[in-house]
């Protein structure tokens, strides 16, 4: 668990997810969601929609907003952030962000890093020893705590995407 605390509880767990209807297409709409869990109980949840987005942006937005929520609430416990986004977790574990910053926000193909604005919100938490980011299997049907919470945030993110889509259609 957290880098400097060796798994000592108390622990806050955050489960995050993003979704996108029409991912990669013009006018795609998305949803992002997170739940905050303490002692196996949900203590907070949030979800929201977004226009003209991608699934990766929604995954990152959920993580950024969740971490900012915990910071704003002055949570003192260690925080484990769970995501089914390989993009987010690989960036954390493989420290891609360090090279991005050192290379003027260019990726390994010398292209601008996608979603820089969201990465800049998340990266401070990568360096915070009270935070750890862990991969959770998405859309799992197994009977585990991680599957339960991940499926919950997936449902919240999909519902936010659908609501955004309905609002988009209403505006036309």
């Amino acid at each position: 668990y957290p880098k400097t605390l060796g798994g000592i509880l108390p622990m806050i767990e955050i489960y995050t997810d993003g979704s996108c209807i029409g991912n990669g297409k013009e006018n795609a709409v998305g949803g992002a969601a997170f739940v905050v869990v303490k002692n196996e109980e949900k203590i907070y949840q949030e979800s929201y929609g977004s226009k003209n987005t991608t699934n990766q942006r929604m995954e990152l937005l959920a993580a950024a907003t969740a971490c900012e929520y915990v910071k704003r609430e002055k949570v003192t416990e260690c925080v484990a952030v769970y995501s089914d986004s390989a993009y987010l977790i690989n960036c954390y574990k493989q420290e891609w962000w360090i090279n991005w910053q050192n290379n003027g926000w260019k990726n390994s193909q010398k292209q601008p890093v996608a979603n820089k604005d969201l990465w800049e919100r998340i990266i401070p938490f990568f360096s915070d020893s009270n935070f750890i980011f862990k991969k959770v299997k998405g859309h799992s049907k197994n009977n585990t705590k991680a599957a339960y919470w991940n499926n919950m945030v997936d449902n919240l993110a999909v519902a936010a995407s659908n609501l955004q889509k309905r609002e988009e259609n209403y505006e036309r």
Side-chain angles (χ1 to χ4, degrees), residues 28-154:
V29 295
F34 69 90
V35 296
V36 180
V37 178
K38 182 175 181 177
N39 299 326
E40 309 294 326
E41 298 286 329
K42 177 178 64 174
I43 60 171
Y44 184 77
Q45 77 178 42
E46 194 171 308
S47 61
Y48 30 85
S50 185
K51 299 177 184 180
N52 302 315
T53 193
T54 66
N55 187 60
Q56 287 186 336
R57 275 196 72 75
M58 293 294 91
E59 295 277 4
L60 296 178
L61 181 62
T65 307
C67 291
E68 291 164 350
Y69 165 80
V70 168
K71 183 178 180 183
R72 192 171 53 252
E73 293 298 311
K74 297 178 173 50
V75 168
T76 58
E77 295 92 344
C78 300
V79 179
V81 180
Y82 292 89
S83 174
D84 61 13
S85 169
Y87 183 46
L88 173 64
I89 301 304
N90 288 342
C91 179
Y92 171 73
K93 284 187 171 184
Q94 298 173 25
E95 298 183 332
W96 297 344
W97 54 279
I98 294 171
N99 285 334
W100 293 344
Q101 290 176 323
N102 291 339
N103 296 332
W105 284 95
K106 302 278 191 222
N107 62 24
S108 60
Q109 289 80 43
K110 309 276 189 255
Q111 299 298 313
V113 171
N115 305 308
K116 176 186 173 193
D117 59 324
L118 294 172
W119 286 119
E120 288 178 321
R121 291 170 56 187
I122 295 169
I123 288 169
F125 298 99
F126 287 174
S127 302
D128 186 328
S129 62
N130 281 337
F131 282 78
I132 189 165
F133 292 76
K134 299 191 65 79
K135 180 83 166 74
V136 64
K137 184 175 173 149
H139 312 285
S140 176
K141 298 198 184 335
N142 67 31
N143 192 22
T144 65
K145 174 180 75 166
Y148 173 82
W149 293 114
N150 183 255
N151 287 328
M152 177 184 284
V153 291
D154 177 64

Side-chain angles (χ1 to χ4, degrees), residues 19-31 49-58 160-162 164-166 168-169 172:
S19 74
C20 189
I21 299 170
N23 192 39
K25 298 181 179 150
E26 189 176 338
N27 298 321
V29 295
S50 185
K51 299 177 184 180
N52 302 315
T53 193
T54 66
N55 187 60
Q56 287 186 336
R57 275 196 72 75
M58 293 294 91
S161 294
N162 287 327
Q164 186 69 46
K165 181 75 172 167
R166 283 193 298 279
E168 188 99 347
N169 289 339
R172 290 185 186 151

